[in-house]
Amino acid sequence: MADHFLAHPTLLGNPTGLQAWTKASAQYRLINNHRGDQAPISARLTALTEAKLRSAGVTVPRR
């Protein structure tokens, strides 16, 4: 999934829009962790995707 986003950077959206999420860490944490215990595979996929995007230099809010 991360490779797809890296190959098509327009899908990542506006980088300035992500800055609003970095300033709203409580909201991001709430949304990102919602039902993570009921869908652990989805939570793990999200974590892996975020890690790969960060390693490629894409700004992704921290949990």
Side-chain angles (χ1 to χ4, degrees):
M1 184 180 343
D3 290 335
H4 181 75
F5 282 118
L6 293 171
H8 303 92
T10 57
L11 296 174
L12 292 170
N14 184 355
T16 57
L18 287 176
Q19 290 176 357
W21 278 109
T22 59
K23 295 176 185 172
S25 62
Q27 292 92 342
Y28 181 75
R29 186 172 37 256
L30 178 67
I31 291 168
N32 205 18
N33 294 332
H34 178 71
R35 298 181 69 143
D37 57 335
Q38 294 175 347
I41 294 171
S42 177
R44 180 70 178 139
L45 177 61
T46 299
L48 290 171
T49 302
E50 289 175 350
K52 187 161 187 176
L53 290 173
R54 278 190 198 97
S55 71
V58 176
T59 302
V60 178
R62 296 276 177 191
R63 294 179 188 226

